[in-house]
Amino acid sequence: MTTRTGYSRTQIVLHWLTAIAVLVAWFTHEGMEEVAKAAWRANEGPFPTIHTIAGALAMIMIIVRIVLRHRRGAPEPEGTEMGKLAATWGHRLIYALVIIVPLLGAATWFGGFRNLSGFHEFTAKALMLAALGHAAMAIWHQFGKKDGTLMRMLRPE
Ligand code: HEM
Ligand code: HEM
């Protein structure tokens, strides 16, 4: 992968759209259990809800970002060697979860694997925790360490 001095406009726009899609999926999960159960009872095909659309969009966008990261490159994380390692693996964890959570949601939804809904919920909570920690680190880097990390996700280079 090429190391760059900054993220492209496309990478930045996709970062914030993914963040919004994940948050929309998180805040629209209420009632999904009832909607899914009603569809299974009526033996109806699944129909899209805001929750499933937002979740699916988040997954598609994060996959595009992984491809872009490999094709175009990305900047190295800022900080000490330990900090860089933590950022790299933290980002990998978020990438993985934004794929795993919607897949488990889709397996519950389309496949009716009701026993998977617990895993969907558990991994979704792990994703939100990771994203919260990620946002806190970004803010701390920007305003505590003043190393301009947050600006990298705002200003294309
Ligand atoms: C980043 C994306 C997503 C997040 C953060 C997320 C989060 C959640 C959360 C927190 C719940 C509540 C779990 C519970 O109380 O049992 C839930 C339920 C559910 N979600 Fe998602 N979800 C996402 C994507 C999806 C997608 C893409 C689908 C389907 C295509 C989906 C289908 C469902 C279903 C069917 C339920 C109800 C499961 C049940 O409790 O029976 N989700 N989701
Ligand atoms: C659910 C929401 C979010 C997700 C899924 C997410 C995901 C990611 C991922 C995967 C990266 C790594 C980019 C790369 O490959 O180099 C990243 C970078 C970044 N994110 Fe987020 N993010 C979210 C929310 C936020 C929020 C709320 C903030 C700010 C408060 C933020 C600030 C940043 C910054 C500054 C970087 C660049 C870090 C660097 O270059 O070292 N993110 N984000």
Side-chain angles (χ1 to χ4, degrees):
M1 194 202 76
T2 322
T3 304
R4 297 268 184 169
T5 51
Y7 294 99
S8 70
R9 188 176 300 275
T10 315
Q11 282 171 313
I12 292 175
V13 168
L14 282 174
H15 172 269
W16 294 113
L17 287 179
T18 317
I20 292 170
V22 169
L23 282 180
V24 169
W26 176 256
F27 285 109
T28 55
H29 75 72
E30 201 112 346
M32 274 307 294
E33 195 174 346
E34 288 67 35
V35 175
K37 278 186 182 151
W40 295 328
R41 258 200 310 273
N43 222 2
E44 274 176 9
F47 45 90
T49 64
I50 295 178
H51 180 77
T52 61
I53 294 171
L57 282 176
M59 187 177 83
I60 293 166
M61 288 191 285
I62 212 97
I63 292 171
V64 173
R65 279 179 56 193
I66 294 173
V67 173
L68 270 181
R69 201 174 196 287
H70 282 274
R71 288 230 177 126
R72 188 240 170 215
E76 271 221 340
E78 293 282 345
T80 58
E81 283 310 309
M82 269 304 286
K84 285 183 190 174
L85 209 64
T88 302
W89 283 97
H91 292 162
R92 283 181 186 164
L93 174 70
I94 295 179
Y95 279 123
L97 285 172
V98 180
I99 295 173
I100 291 167
V101 172
L103 281 184
L104 286 173
T108 314
W109 186 231
F110 292 109
F113 297 119
R114 282 150 231 209
N115 46 351
L116 284 180
S117 75
F119 290 116
H120 178 55
E121 183 181 9
F122 176 76
T123 50
K125 285 184 174 156
L127 168 60
M128 291 315 288
L129 260 180
L132 256 176
H134 166 72
M137 286 309 288
I139 290 168
W140 179 66
H141 268 270
Q142 179 68 31
F143 300 104
K145 293 181 86 181
K146 299 195 191 335
D147 61 8
T149 297
L150 187 56
M151 287 319 289
R152 300 217 296 207
M153 258 318 163
L154 295 171
R155 203 189 301 123
E157 240 174 69

